[in-house]
Amino acid sequence: MSGQTYLIAAYLGMIGALALWTWTVFARSKSLESKIDSLEKALANDESE
């Protein structure tokens, strides 16, 4: 393989890794947000009682 082919493979790998990392961050963020919402609702119920 030529040097340009290795460069293309490296760029595609880097873009794929960045996409995977971004997806993971957003998935964790959504999960954390739902946990925070549940905690806020639980605290609001405790305060109202």
Side-chain angles (χ1 to χ4, degrees):
M1 289 189 351
S2 68
Q4 189 174 12
T5 306
Y6 284 117
L7 186 62
I8 290 169
Y11 274 124
L12 290 175
M14 186 173 57
I15 290 169
L18 184 60
L20 179 64
W21 177 80
T22 303
W23 179 79
T24 303
V25 167
F26 279 110
R28 287 181 183 172
S29 173
K30 188 173 182 179
S31 173
L32 183 60
E33 187 175 341
S34 69
K35 289 178 184 179
I36 290 172
D37 288 342
S38 297
L39 181 59
E40 286 176 346
K41 287 178 184 175
L43 289 174
N45 286 341
D46 285 347
E47 290 175 358
S48 65
E49 290 179 359

